[in-house]
Structure formats: C-alpha cells, structure tokens
Amino acid sequence: MTFNDDANIEGGRVSKRGRNAAIAGGGGGLVVVALVIVSQLTGFDLTGLAPLLGGGSGTETSTDQSGDLDQCKTGAQANNNIDCRMKAAATSLDAYWLTQVDGYTQPQLVIYDGQTDTGCGTASNAVGPFYCPPDQKVYIDTSFYNELQTQFGASGGPLAQLYVVAHEWGHHIQNITGQMNNLNLQDTGATSDSVRLELQADCYAGAWVDGVSSTPDANGVPFLKKPTDAEIADALNAAAAVGDDHIQETLGSGSVNPETWTHGSSEERQRWFQTGYTKGVASCDTFSAATL
Ligand SMILES: [Zn+2]
C-alpha cells in the first residue's frame, strides 16, 4: 500500500524526539519502567535485545526534533521517508476515525529514539511500540521496524509498518470510546480481556486499511492507493510475527503456553485483521465473540 503521491499528509499531531548524546555522569543503566498497560504491539520485552535496538547505557535526554516533520507535506514524501510515512499514517488515521467515532479526538504520535518520558513512565524501545492511555499518545521508535524483520521474522514492507501504527491507534479508539473500562487487564490467557483487547486493535487496523483508500484528504484526494495482495500479505505476516505462540516459540522458552498469552495467536491476529479489513469496524466486537 502506498500513499497517493499528491495526497496532503499535513494535519496529524506528530512530534519527534531525538537522542541527545550527552550522558549524565554516573547514571549508568537504562531506566526501564515496566508499563502497566497492555497497549503494546507485542507481549514481548525486547530488553535482552537492547544492543540491537540501540538502547544505550547512561542517562539520556531527548531533544525536540519535531521541526524535521514540517517538511513532510505529500504522499510522495511519505512513500520515501520513514518519518513522513509516520506523519502520513497519523493524518490518515485521524481522517478515517473521524468518520467512524462521534466525538473523535486526535491522539499524538511520538517518534522517539532510544528512550523517552511518557505519561506511563520512562520507556525504552525495549517495550516496542505502545499507546499510553493517560496521555493519549502513541510511542514508536522506528528502529522497531528492523526488529520486526530480524527478530520476529516478518517480511516487512510499508503496509506492515502502517499496520503497527494502526494497531496502536486502535487502542486509542478503545480508550476514548470507553471500551478499555472495566476490563481485567492483569489477567492472561487465550480468552482473557487482554487478548480480546489486542485482537480488537488488530481488527480496527484492518478496518482502517480498507477504509483509508477511500478516505479523502483535505483536497479530496484519497490518502492511499488500494493495497495489493502482496501488501496485504505483508501486513498479515507482521500480525502473525507478533502472535504470542510465534513469539514463545522463537524468542521465548520455545514451548507454547496459552495461559500466559496477552495478545493472541498468530492465526487469531491475522484472522481479526482480515475480519476488520473485509467487514469493517462493526465486525470487531471481540468481547462478545464466542470464539476468538
Ligand atoms: Zn496492542
């Protein structure tokens, strides 16, 4: 899936935080605060892979580099530049969800490098992309896209990247519509509230992928071209790569234990994405589904 070259991608609330190389003396150790939220893309902690992720040691401060995003104005730029692609994702996700949710409010997308302060604590990129409900921001270190391929074994591609952002946007939708309320998110297991919440976010991502190619920008130009079969395959492949069973087999203990699942199996994540893609937002009631 690629953006239409002349689509206007301005409008999304996106900021960029760069890494400041200055290291405060004597700090040592990366501060990783466990996020007591289930709004991540995966249930896997990448801490052990930190050298690969570029999560360094020492105390880092970040600098605001949001000005870099001002030059991102068109779909053509989004097709060629990862930061512009993230901005375009935010703008087009807003445009789509405005048509789906009464009283929709924009979250903010924060592109960061290494670690950053959030309303959910200090986060390093070891937690992967996530949404923080208290501050209504989606956080992503785009180096995760390399991990998605090298560690999780995904095929990659632009639509796989957009699926990741759209999944986190799904958590924002769940937050502002109240679907996150009254859930037992400490519980794990194949039919737990956590898994149902995550599969619904995958379904919402699928619904956006279908809807956004007919959602017009401010000038009436659809944001994205209709995805090709190969691009859909990339998105499904990414959903499979972050399935709990696949992660347990390849990055965890090696054995599959559904009792500890928080995000659903590879098959389930693909199927709910597909459900949203073919049937739309109304089909995404994973909380009432008899089988997941
Ligand atoms: Zn999630």
Side-chain angles (χ1 to χ4, degrees):
M1 175 187 258
T2 52
F3 288 88
N4 280 310
D5 283 346
D6 52 352
N8 177 353
I9 64 169
E10 296 181 273
R13 294 182 61 213
V14 186
S15 60
K16 183 179 176 183
R17 301 174 186 175
R19 189 183 302 217
N20 188 332
I23 296 177
L30 192 63
V31 181
V32 179
V33 175
L35 298 168
V36 193
I37 52 173
V38 289
S39 307
Q40 294 164 249
L41 179 74
T42 80
F44 185 72
D45 183 343
L46 289 154
T47 299
L49 306 173
L52 296 169
L53 280 162
S57 59
T59 303
E60 295 167 359
T61 55
S62 60
T63 51
D64 186 5
Q65 299 180 347
S66 300
D68 290 1
L69 300 167
D70 293 345
Q71 47 103 13
C72 300
K73 299 178 187 299
T74 68
Q77 290 173 298
N79 292 332
N80 290 310
N81 176 283
I82 185 68
D83 287 345
C84 293
R85 193 174 306 141
M86 295 297 96
K87 180 174 175 175
T91 302
S92 59
L93 278 156
D94 284 336
Y96 172 72
W97 283 109
L98 263 171
T99 70
Q100 299 295 317
V101 175
D102 285 341
Y104 175 78
T105 54
Q106 291 175 289
Q108 184 174 128
L109 177 62
V110 179
I111 302 168
Y112 73 99
D113 181 10
Q115 76 175 74
T116 192
D117 292 330
T118 83
C120 294
T122 301
S124 83
N125 54 13
V127 298
F130 67 98
Y131 171 72
C132 175
D135 66 13
Q136 301 199 3
K137 294 178 182 175
V138 171
Y139 293 88
I140 187 164
D141 179 331
T142 53
S143 69
F144 175 78
Y145 292 134
N146 295 329
E147 301 310 308
L148 191 58
Q149 292 180 264
T150 60
Q151 299 298 327
F152 294 87
S155 54
L159 193 57
Q161 296 176 351
L162 296 176
Y163 152 72
V164 171
V165 184
H167 172 98
E168 299 307 335
W169 233 259
H171 288 311
H172 176 66
I173 301 303
Q174 293 168 329
N175 187 24
I176 63 174
T177 58
Q179 289 166 101
M180 274 188 182
N181 299 339
N182 304 315
L183 301 179
N184 178 3
L185 299 178
Q186 305 306 315
D187 202 16
T188 64
T191 59
S192 62
D193 283 353
S194 301
V195 167
R196 292 178 188 275
L197 194 74
E198 295 299 334
L199 293 177
Q200 185 175 62
D202 285 335
C203 188
Y204 284 169
W208 170 77
V209 168
D210 174 58
V212 74
S213 58
S214 56
T215 302
D217 69 5
N219 303 320
V221 178
F223 282 102
L224 288 116
K225 297 174 183 170
K226 197 77 182 162
T228 65
D229 289 348
E231 288 166 335
I232 291 295
D234 279 340
L236 288 169
N237 180 277
V242 292
D244 286 325
D245 52 347
H246 175 74
I247 289 174
Q248 287 177 341
E249 282 177 337
T250 59
L251 294 170
S253 66
S255 59
V256 174
N257 179 10
E259 289 181 11
T260 63
W261 286 3
T262 56
H263 284 66
S265 72
S266 298
E267 186 275 328
E268 289 165 342
R269 299 197 70 165
Q270 291 183 92
R271 185 158 39 75
W272 280 102
F273 176 92
Q274 194 87 40
T275 296
Y277 181 64
T278 55
K279 296 178 182 170
V281 171
S283 69
C284 296
D285 187 0
T286 53
F287 291 95
S288 300
T291 55
L292 293 172

